[in-house]
């Protein structure tokens, strides 16, 4: 959740005319990488590797599991190389991350 607070603060700063978009790009990428590191860490407790853990946590939602795994690959590939693409990725990633955290919490409560 600390990642989202950083983004919210950055979005507030963006309302300023003097906010540099390159700073936004770097912040978004750092926050998304950190959030995916958290996903990998949480999911690794549910399987032999983190991808298996994601699939276990999201058993009822295999498409969401695939999207999270793909998101990780995109973030690691470096193919997001400008603020516009980073903003688009952010819009895609936030709902995926929210769903994952919710499903992980439900799984923990079941155990």
């Amino acid at each position: 959740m600390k990642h989202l607070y950083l983004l919210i603060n950055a979005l507030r700063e963006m309302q300023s005319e003097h906010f540099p978009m390159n700073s936004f790009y770097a912040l978004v990428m750092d926050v998304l990488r950190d959030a995916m590191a958290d996903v990998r860490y949480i999911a690794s407790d549910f399987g032999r590797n983190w991808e298996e853990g994601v699939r276990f946590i999201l058993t009822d939602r295999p498409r969401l599991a695939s999207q999270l795994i793909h998101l990780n690959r995109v973030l690691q590939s470096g193919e997001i190389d400008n603020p516009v693409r980073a903003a688009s990725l952010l819009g895609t990633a936030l709902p995926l991350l929210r769903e994952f955290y919710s499903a992980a919490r439900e799984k923990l409560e079941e155990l």
Side-chain angles (χ1 to χ4, degrees):
M1 288 314 215
K2 67 179 178 184
H3 315 294
L4 298 179
Y5 292 119
L6 288 172
L7 281 175
I8 290 168
N9 287 336
L11 292 171
R12 286 184 185 141
E13 290 289 324
M14 284 179 60
Q15 293 175 353
S16 162
E17 293 176 21
H18 307 292
F19 184 79
M21 283 307 288
N22 287 339
S23 295
F24 176 71
Y25 164 71
L27 177 64
V28 166
M29 296 309 293
D30 286 346
V31 166
L32 289 176
R33 284 186 198 104
D34 284 350
M36 279 309 301
D38 288 347
V39 167
R40 290 190 306 269
Y41 177 78
I42 293 166
S44 66
D45 288 341
F46 291 90
R48 290 181 299 217
N49 59 52
W50 77 270
E51 288 183 17
E52 186 178 286
V54 165
R55 287 188 179 96
F56 175 77
I57 291 169
L58 298 169
T59 302
D60 302 353
R61 298 173 258 185
R63 183 167 185 250
L64 178 59
S66 295
Q67 289 173 313
L68 274 171
I69 291 166
H70 179 71
L71 174 62
N72 185 67
R73 290 183 184 136
V74 167
L75 288 170
Q76 290 183 343
S77 74
E79 68 184 67
I80 305 301
D81 58 359
N82 65 58
V84 173
R85 293 184 75 190
S88 176
L89 184 63
L90 176 65
T92 301
L94 288 179
L96 299 177
L97 294 167
R98 184 179 61 239
E99 287 295 317
F100 172 80
Y101 289 130
S102 176
R105 184 176 39 240
E106 288 173 15
K107 262 318 173 196
L108 285 171
E109 290 171 358
E110 289 174 11
L111 300 176

